Amino acid sequence: MHFPFINLLAEARTWFSFLLISLVFINGYKAEVMSGDTKVIPIGAIIDINSRVGKEQRVAMDIAAQNYNDISNTSKLALYFQEPTKDSFKATSLAEEMIKKQKVEVIVGMQTWTEAASVAELVHETQVEVPIISFVAPAITPPLMEIRWPSLVRLANNGTAYVKCIADLVHVYNWHSVIAIYEDDAYGGDSGMLALLSEALQDVGSMVEYHLALPSLAYLPNPGEFIRKELFKITENTQSRVFIVLQSSLELGIHLFKEASQMGLVDRDSVWMIPESITNLLDSVNKSSISYMEGALGIKTYYSENSNEYTKFEDQFRRAFRDKNPEEDNRDPGFYSLQAYDSIQIIGNAIDRIASDKKTLLQEIVSSNFLGLSGKIKFESKQLLQNPTLRIVNVDGKSYRELDLWTLENGFFTNISTKEAKNGASRNSESLSGPVIWPGKLLRVPKGWNLPTKQKPLRIAVPGRTAFSKFVKVDYDAQGNPKYSGFCIDIFDKVLEILGYDLPYEYCPVNGTYPDLVQLVYNKTYDGVVGDMTVLAERMEFVDFTVPYAESGLSMIVTEKSLESAWMFMKPFTWQMWAVTGAILTYTMLVVWYLEKEDNEEFQGNWKNQITTSFWFTFSSLFFAHREKMHSNLSRIVMVSWLFLVLILNSSYTASLSSMLTVQQLHANVTDIEWLKKNDMKIGCDGDSFVRTYLEEVEKFKPGNIVNISNENNYDPEFKNYSIAAAFLELPYEKVYISKYCKGYTASTPTTRFGGLGFMFQKGSPLARDVSKAILELLQKGELKKLEDIWLNPKDVCSNNLNSNTTESLKLGSFWILYVISGATSTICFLVSTIHSLKSSQTLNDDAQESNGSPNDVSRWKRVVKLTRKICSRKHKTSKVKEDVTDSSSSCDCMSTPEHQQEMALQLPEIITVSSPPTQL
């Protein structure tokens, strides 16, 4: 029963002491009061002591000052608190008042950058040496800050790490567009955070689709109504449902989530991220205040809660906060209280070092280097040098769950133990480690954009008129209801089957040009276009495309003329083939003649008869029509290899010539664009597409020479009427046209490539990404190829492929081995026969010399020469003798007279010797 009275008595004693010290300084004592050897250091604090943050900061600073005063015998710290008004520049007058009246030597606090900058400007103008420790830092550090505000020390990090953490979260879950919301201080103080976020999102392939700046509650007479109107603009003008709150007070954040929840924006497939300024207060705020934020992801600064210093401070804080703020339910310290405690520690440590280092107080503050409750305290260029470790949390009901940690070096990781910290931590780059409770209790990852519903389906524009109906065709039934068909429609139907979620949509026929369709999607009249839209760089500035489902390039279509010629029969072989064939034929003829001339009467006679017979025999063998018989086995071997070569050549020649005569040989009338321009020829193209502009601006065709052709059936009459000399079509259209008009036209290989045909959606629409993924799946499964064959390349429409290459002439490289075999066989047989003849001749000469008794002293060389002469003259002598015999026999009935018989008997040995044939193999 006596506890309340004791508490009141203790609190009264504390306030009395504080009031006594304040009166001493207000009555004109100097800032530094010497009481014996003790020096009192007055410190000014500019904080909002009526807010939860301000209450925590005041209690933490009192504890820090009291702890210092308890152990210091030379210096004592005295704190002076001032509360800024809604006017941020009011902090200037408060700082000036404290400098003049309380003679403060250090100023700490300032929750907004506008307050910190204005106080620093005042100190610089008055040229007083008063260090300023601000609890905030600008998102983007202004240039020449140290020169402009030399006394300003920032006990905070800039916005770089924070926005990179947000960008990593967006990248992990593949959200391609976001909506940024921040509380503006009416002076644009937080706009730098938006610029940093935009840059960080661009690095991961995302973008800020819309940003909303909300004024502070002090400027809003009816905050709920104002926020509701702004959120309604978002629902009408954006598709993204990834809301990122960059900066906001807790009070404004509660109003924002309350209105968003009532409007259904904190629901399924939406994403919310809350800033440090709110997340750092989740430990201390009333739990019922955060119920509207359920499912949101939060980012808060990590600090260790396991050290002895923190445990001691936590006990002190709970007792002091309960005494001074009994109306607050939560008495746990938050990050801002740790930051305020460290600011007083910085000052106390700097004061202790002044006597020994002989530096100014500002220099000692900047040279601080110790581990505080909020983290490592070290400055560089008067900015807190710290790579902050951020903690990712998930609001669940009236509390929150910790998911992962994040740093600039390591990204997301799960544990900050000493071992993992040394090894760079265990990174998780694909998703957060813990299960996330998303808004609306959604268990899967939200799409992050405004999904269409049956009540509000996706509006898809379809080209009402196209030059080639096989891509998109719109028909109407008897009731006037449109029916859609074509290559593009079938692809989109296949895409919807594998999207993985329901996508209500409706087709809307639009009779306009392709640039008109781009504009209609850009101004959000339609959500997308399903049709033969070409992906172009200038179009991607206004809309998004899927990956192409068909390649695109500019082809030139021209008429063809026949390549028939009287020398067509020569084309199956190249000239090298003809030359080598003639050479091997001649060589074979000579070898056969040489082998057969002694024994075969058909190859005998005068030189003219021998050559004629040999040539006829070899040439007729080309057609297997030779009648001459072979007497020599060597000749038969030569003919076997030759006839095998002839068989292969005949078959190949017949097949090649048949192919050339079967496939019509055509040649394009026009093969060069420059020829068209030089001769001022007219060309045709689809005037509704970009092709006409390309031909005018890039290819430099005269506008008067370009004929607009809006229907595929009009190209053929224009060609036949000689109204155009060529037509320029994109590659998919060229395939359709050539497959329909099989004869008389040819198309050039596209030399100019475009982005291909793709589906078009609004800028930033996640549908482009999802549909692109589905198209790639269709491509990998071969489904796109099947649809292309059905619609663009039907096999039953045209039997002849005019785009295929004409039959090429047969080349020597394919048959050289056969020529080598035939030539080698003939050569070997020739050598074998020659060697055998040499041996036979040597034997006869030796026998003749032995019978005549002449010595065998003739050189071998002379023997060869003599034998050669005999071979050459042998046939002539034999023929002459036979002719004489024939003439003699025909001159009388009894064959010869006795005198003649005696003469023939004398010549008979010579005839037998000369005409004796060599032994056959």
Side-chain angles (χ1 to χ4, degrees), residues 604-625:
Q604 297 173 0
N606 57 35
W607 284 105
K608 181 178 180 181
N609 290 336
Q610 291 183 44
I611 294 174
T612 304
T613 302
S614 299
F615 178 76
W616 172 252
F617 170 78
T618 311
F619 184 78
S620 61
S621 66
L622 291 172
F623 312 100
F624 304 98

Side-chain angles (χ1 to χ4, degrees), residues 123-144:
V123 172
H124 181 63
E125 290 178 354
T126 56
Q127 297 182 353
V128 294
E129 295 182 0
V130 177
I132 302 168
I133 302 177
S134 69
F135 294 159
V136 291
I140 301 176
T141 303
L144 305 177

Side-chain angles (χ1 to χ4, degrees), residues 591-869:
V591 172
V592 171
W593 167 79
Y594 174 76
L595 297 176
E596 291 290 327
K597 64 184 175 60
E598 295 182 2
D599 300 330
N600 196 334
E601 294 181 356
E602 296 181 359
F603 288 86
Q604 297 173 0
N606 57 35
W607 284 105
K608 181 178 180 181
N609 290 336
Q610 291 183 44
I611 294 174
T612 304
T613 302
S614 299
F615 178 76
W616 172 252
F617 170 78
T618 311
F619 184 78
S620 61
S621 66
L622 291 172
F623 312 100
F624 304 98
H626 53 283
R627 297 181 179 181
E628 293 76 9
K629 297 181 179 179
M630 299 286 98
H631 289 192
S632 172
N633 289 331
L634 293 176
S635 301
R636 294 187 181 99
I637 294 174
V638 171
M639 289 304 296
V640 168
S641 62
W642 165 249
L643 291 176
F644 180 72
L645 172 62
V646 169
L647 176 64
I648 300 300
L649 291 178
N650 278 343
S651 302
S652 302
Y653 178 86
T654 303
S656 180
L657 183 61
S658 300
S659 177
M660 289 182 176
L661 295 176
T662 302
V663 178
Q664 186 180 12
Q665 302 296 307
L666 300 174
H667 176 70
N669 282 324
V670 179
T671 58
D672 189 16
I673 293 179
E674 295 301 323
W675 184 89
L676 291 170
K677 294 188 286 186
K678 181 179 179 181
N679 292 274
D680 207 28
M681 305 299 291
K682 290 195 173 184
I683 59 175
C685 70
D686 184 3
D688 290 340
S689 71
F690 73 96
V691 175
R692 181 183 178 93
T693 304
Y694 179 84
L695 292 173
E696 290 180 8
E697 297 180 356
V698 179
E699 296 296 345
K700 304 301 180 182
F701 278 97
K702 296 179 181 179
N705 288 342
I706 302 177
V707 179
N708 291 338
I709 302 176
S710 58
N711 191 283
E712 59 185 305
N713 298 320
N714 295 337
Y715 285 95
D716 186 52
E718 293 289 342
F719 273 114
K720 291 181 177 179
N721 295 334
Y722 301 101
S723 299
I724 59 175
F728 287 87
L729 298 175
E730 292 183 70
L731 182 60
Y733 308 135
E734 172 258 307
K735 292 181 180 179
V736 175
Y737 187 83
I738 294 297
S739 66
K740 182 177 181 181
Y741 297 95
C742 304
K743 299 179 180 180
Y745 293 98
T746 186
S748 64
T749 302
T751 56
T752 302
R753 296 287 181 179
F754 303 114
L757 302 184
F759 298 133
M760 186 170 66
F761 295 97
Q762 291 180 8
K763 194 72 174 177
S765 173
L767 264 180
R769 181 191 68 245
D770 294 346
V771 174
S772 294
K773 182 180 178 182
I775 290 175
L776 292 176
E777 290 186 20
L778 292 176
L779 185 64
Q780 295 169 2
K781 294 178 181 178
E783 296 293 331
L784 279 182
K785 183 63 171 60
K786 294 179 181 178
L787 292 177
E788 186 173 342
D789 291 339
I790 294 173
W791 286 100
L792 307 185
N793 301 315
K795 296 181 180 180
D796 56 344
V797 174
C798 184
S799 59
N800 295 333
N801 186 5
L802 298 182
N803 288 328
S804 62
N805 295 329
T806 57
T807 305
E808 295 183 356
S809 300
L810 299 175
K811 298 179 180 180
L812 181 62
S814 303
F815 302 94
W816 68 270
I817 189 65
L818 297 177
Y819 288 103
V820 171
I821 292 173
S822 178
T825 302
S826 299
T827 302
I828 292 172
C829 291
F830 171 78
L831 294 176
V832 170
S833 177
T834 301
I835 294 171
H836 188 271
S837 298
L838 290 172
K839 290 182 178 180
S840 299
S841 176
Q842 179 66 29
T843 302
L844 290 174
N845 290 336
D846 292 343
D847 293 340
Q849 290 174 2
E850 289 177 359
S851 62
N852 294 332
S854 58
N856 187 13
D857 56 356
V858 182
S859 66
R860 293 186 177 183
W861 172 249
K862 292 182 179 180
R863 294 175 186 174
V864 173
V865 173
K866 186 176 180 181
L867 178 60
T868 303
R869 288 178 179 176

Side-chain angles (χ1 to χ4, degrees), residues 70 117 305 363 381 406 459 634 689 824 902:
D70 290 342
E305 301 177 7
Q363 291 173 333
S381 299
W406 181 93
R459 288 172 54 82
L634 293 176
S689 71
Q902 185 178 2

Side-chain angles (χ1 to χ4, degrees), residues 235 241 243 258-268 270 272:
T235 60
R241 291 298 178 264
F243 300 93
K258 181 178 179 180
E259 297 299 329
S261 297
Q262 294 175 355
M263 295 178 63
L265 293 179
V266 189
D267 205 347
R268 299 173 65 88
S270 66
W272 285 83

